[in-house]
Amino acid sequence: DRVVLTVNNFDQGQLDALTSSPTAAATLAAAVLAAVEAKNLDGVNLDLEGQGAGDNAGLTRLVDTVSWVMHSANPHYQVTMDTYSSSASGTNGWFDIPALAGAVDAFFVMEYNPNLAAAQGPSSPLTSGMFSDQTAADEYAAVVPPSKVILGVPFFGIDWPTSDGTL
């Protein structure tokens, strides 16, 4: 088992500032390394959830810097990154998966609710006609080694009572 620090931010304005700053990546990397070393942890998971392709190059530079600092300090430190289930389908979104692949040890693919647009009824997120677990796994495997993909699936159910068949 590994115990890692999770660094998260879901605020687009803050993420844009973080990815465009010439000093933020080094500052973040130093802070993460200090926290990991202070608690004798095994690495870091980056959960930086933004939108659009406005600065996916800046995000890649940020992750490269954090990863380089962590792996330089200890090559056994694990650096993982949370990504959206559809992120491997192209490079025009927040995450450029092929560009990030060299920096991270693994992608944690958040495959939690792939069928939000599905009609009410029994539908499997594994292989449905909508975006599915299989689609996500296939798209990631097409651009990165499958050994770098951790498919995060829900261990819960969702009940959406309706009066007219819509969510």
Side-chain angles (χ1 to χ4, degrees), residues 104-136:
V104 299
D105 297 304
F107 294 101
F108 183 87
V109 181
M110 300 180 291
E111 178 66 5
Y112 304 143
N113 291 317
N115 276 323
L116 291 178
Q120 181 181 3
S123 62
S124 167
L126 295 175
T127 59
S128 77
M130 304 295 291
F131 194 85
S132 67
D133 296 347
Q134 187 65 55
T135 301

Side-chain angles (χ1 to χ4, degrees), residues 25-34 36-37 43-44 46 59-81 99-105 148:
T27 302
L28 177 63
V32 167
L33 179 61
V36 167
E37 289 178 337
V44 63
L46 301 171
L59 178 64
T60 300
R61 282 190 304 275
L62 177 83
V63 174
D64 283 343
T65 300
V66 171
S67 181
W68 183 84
V69 167
M70 295 296 293
H71 289 132
S72 293
N74 183 338
H76 300 290
Y77 281 152
Q78 181 183 60
V79 178
T80 59
M81 181 165 209
L100 290 163
V104 299
D105 297 304
K148 283 195 170 208

Side-chain angles (χ1 to χ4, degrees), residues 29-49:
V32 167
L33 179 61
V36 167
E37 289 178 337
K39 298 295 182 181
N40 197 29
L41 301 175
D42 298 307
V44 63
N45 171 258
L46 301 171
D47 187 4
L48 307 173
E49 297 183 36

Side-chain angles (χ1 to χ4, degrees), residues 2 6 15 18 34 105 130 153 161:
R2 291 179 163 233
T6 296
L15 290 167
L18 181 66
D105 297 304
M130 304 295 291
V153 294

